[in-house]
Amino acid sequence: MPTPIILDVDTGYDDAVAILMAAGHPALHLLGVTTVAGNASLAVTTDNTLRTLDAAGYTDIPVIAGAHRPLLRELGGSTDAQNQHFGFPRQREATPGYAVDWLVQTIMASAGDIVLVPLAPLTNIALALHKEPRIARKVKEVVLMGGAVHGGNMSPVAEFNIWIDPEAARSVWQAGWPITMVGLDVTGRALIPPEDAARVKALPTARAAITGELLDFCVQREVLGWGKPGAQIFDACAVAAVVDPGMLTTKHCFVDVETTGTLTAGMTVCDLDGQTGHTPNCHVGLDIDYARFFRVMLEGLGG
Ligand code: BDR
Ligand code: CA
């Protein structure tokens, strides 16, 4: 039986690749996609999500719009590369309703087997927890892209999804549900080199063709522009880890989010050595097996 999953996204190029992998992978059943402000405004992230799914033929997967801003802070901080408006053809409107309500209803009506995969600032998820705390016991697992054990991409210590809405992220880590954190330590070790991007592009599906365009953009910018060995498709790593958790090396430990630090807001503080004495609440990703990651990507986009 395929694993039922829900993606929460702020589509952006890497969210789009993750969505297409999830929609197409035989081991997953994508129940719906909720959208939130992050990489771009809610209007743009919702439009990009619809265009991604519709262009690949997945017009029956519901897309539900959620929070248009973080809980307490102003939206900001994204680059032009994040704030992209896709040109893929769109065939429908978003499903009526509010993502937070849809998340609560869908999770509470489930058999307790849903894997929730947030790939964006955690605003919708925090609001859903606030509305119905019992979702924390109904969801099978949360596998999220966000945070970092070491370093950051918005400050020396903060990753984008957490930095945008640290208060929301803190409540997600405090909810008591099983969390796997796929942060920058993992995604930075899954860089897709140009030759693998070409292999994706050669797959005979609409979703692979769309992904090929997105990967071309990333390879152009990151490999040819910045001299990196490959393109970092952050959100795809979390989806891949749902299919094949063994691709990750993890440590079960206590994680909390800094919300008040003047230099450190949005930092995921990972107590790898148990110094706080707090009970572990997260499987923190430390490394990823690239070959297994790329195999799942091919499975999701091909066939
Ligand atoms: C995360 O931030 C966003 O720009 C990406 O979509 C990804 O979810 C990486 O820091
Ligand atoms: Ca994202």
Coordinates of all heavy atoms in Angstrom, one line a residue, residues 1-6 21-31 111-115 140 242-243:
M1 N 0.8 -1.2 0.0 CA 0.0 0.0 0.0 C 0.9 1.3 0.0 O 1.8 1.4 0.8 CB -0.9 0.0 1.3 CG -2.1 -0.8 1.2 SD -3.4 -0.1 0.2 CE -4.0 1.2 1.3
P2 N 0.6 2.2 -0.9 CA 1.4 3.4 -0.9 C 1.2 4.2 0.4 O 0.1 4.2 0.9 CB 0.9 4.2 -2.1 CG 0.0 3.3 -2.9 CD -0.3 2.1 -2.0
T3 N 2.2 4.9 0.8 CA 2.1 5.7 2.0 C 1.3 7.0 1.7 O 1.7 7.8 0.8 CB 3.5 6.1 2.5 OG1 4.2 4.9 2.8 CG2 3.4 7.0 3.8
P4 N 0.2 7.3 2.4 CA -0.5 8.6 2.2 C 0.3 9.8 2.8 O 0.8 9.7 3.9 CB -1.8 8.4 3.0 CG -1.6 7.3 3.9 CD -0.4 6.5 3.5
I5 N 0.6 10.8 1.9 CA 1.3 11.9 2.4 C 0.6 13.2 2.0 O -0.1 13.3 1.1 CB 2.8 12.0 1.9 CG1 2.9 12.3 0.4 CG2 3.5 10.7 2.2 CD1 4.3 12.6 0.0
I6 N 0.9 14.2 2.8 CA 0.5 15.6 2.5 C 1.8 16.5 2.5 O 2.6 16.4 3.3 CB -0.4 16.1 3.7 CG1 -1.7 15.3 3.8 CG2 -0.7 17.6 3.5 CD1 -2.6 15.7 5.0
M21 N 7.9 14.6 -7.7 CA 8.4 13.3 -7.2 C 7.3 12.6 -6.4 O 7.1 11.4 -6.5 CB 9.6 13.5 -6.3 CG 10.9 13.7 -7.1 SD 12.2 14.2 -6.0 CE 12.4 12.7 -4.9
A22 N 6.7 13.3 -5.5 CA 5.7 12.7 -4.6 C 4.5 12.3 -5.4 O 3.9 11.2 -5.1 CB 5.3 13.7 -3.5
A23 N 4.0 13.1 -6.4 CA 2.8 12.8 -7.2 C 3.1 11.5 -8.0 O 2.1 10.7 -8.2 CB 2.5 14.0 -8.1
G24 N 4.3 11.3 -8.4 CA 4.6 10.2 -9.4 C 5.1 9.0 -8.7 O 5.2 8.0 -9.4
H25 N 5.6 9.0 -7.5 CA 6.2 7.9 -6.9 C 5.2 6.8 -6.6 O 4.3 7.0 -5.8 CB 7.1 8.2 -5.7 CG 8.2 7.2 -5.5 ND1 7.9 5.9 -5.0 CD2 9.5 7.2 -5.7 CE1 9.0 5.3 -4.9 NE2 10.0 6.0 -5.4
P26 N 5.5 5.5 -7.0 CA 4.5 4.5 -6.7 C 4.4 4.1 -5.3 O 3.4 3.5 -4.9 CB 5.1 3.3 -7.6 CG 6.5 3.6 -7.9 CD 6.6 5.1 -7.9
A27 N 5.4 4.5 -4.5 CA 5.3 4.1 -3.0 C 4.5 5.2 -2.2 O 4.4 5.0 -1.0 CB 6.7 4.0 -2.5
L28 N 4.1 6.3 -2.9 CA 3.4 7.4 -2.2 C 2.1 7.6 -2.8 O 1.9 7.5 -4.0 CB 4.3 8.7 -2.3 CG 5.7 8.6 -1.7 CD1 6.4 9.9 -2.0 CD2 5.7 8.3 -0.2
H29 N 1.2 8.1 -1.9 CA -0.2 8.6 -2.4 C -0.3 10.0 -1.9 O -0.5 10.2 -0.7 CB -1.3 7.7 -1.8 CG -2.6 8.2 -2.1 ND1 -3.7 7.9 -1.4 CD2 -3.1 9.0 -3.1 CE1 -4.8 8.5 -1.9 NE2 -4.4 9.1 -3.0
L30 N -0.2 10.9 -2.8 CA -0.2 12.4 -2.5 C -1.7 12.8 -2.3 O -2.4 13.0 -3.3 CB 0.5 13.2 -3.5 CG 0.6 14.7 -3.3 CD1 1.2 15.0 -2.0 CD2 1.4 15.3 -4.4
L31 N -2.1 13.0 -1.0 CA -3.5 13.3 -0.7 C -3.8 14.7 -1.1 O -5.0 15.0 -1.5 CB -3.8 13.1 0.8 CG -3.5 11.7 1.3 CD1 -3.7 11.7 2.8 CD2 -4.5 10.7 0.7
A111 N -6.8 7.2 9.1 CA -6.5 6.0 9.9 C -5.3 6.2 10.8 O -4.8 5.2 11.4 CB -6.4 4.8 9.0
G112 N -4.7 7.3 10.8 CA -3.5 7.5 11.6 C -2.2 7.1 10.8 O -1.2 6.9 11.4
D113 N -2.4 7.1 9.5 CA -1.2 6.6 8.7 C -0.6 7.7 7.8 O 0.3 7.4 7.0 CB -1.7 5.5 7.8 CG -3.0 5.8 7.0 OD1 -3.5 6.9 7.2 OD2 -3.4 5.0 6.1
I114 N -1.0 9.0 8.0 CA -0.5 10.0 7.1 C 0.9 10.5 7.5 O 1.1 10.7 8.7 CB -1.5 11.2 7.1 CG1 -2.8 10.8 6.4 CG2 -0.9 12.4 6.4 CD1 -3.9 11.9 6.4
V115 N 1.8 10.6 6.5 CA 3.1 11.3 6.8 C 2.9 12.7 6.3 O 2.6 13.0 5.1 CB 4.2 10.6 6.1 CG1 5.5 11.3 6.3 CG2 4.3 9.1 6.6
K140 N 1.2 10.0 11.4 CA 2.1 8.9 11.7 C 3.5 9.5 12.0 O 4.2 9.0 12.9 CB 2.2 8.0 10.4 CG 3.1 6.8 10.6 CD 3.1 5.9 9.4 CE 4.1 4.8 9.5 NZ 4.5 4.4 8.1
V242 N 11.1 10.0 2.8 CA 9.8 9.3 3.2 C 9.8 7.9 2.5 O 9.5 6.9 3.1 CB 8.6 10.1 2.8 CG1 7.3 9.3 3.1 CG2 8.6 11.4 3.5
V243 N 10.2 7.9 1.3 CA 10.2 6.6 0.5 C 11.3 5.6 1.0 O 11.0 4.5 1.2 CB 10.5 6.9 -1.0 CG1 10.6 5.6 -1.8 CG2 9.4 7.8 -1.6

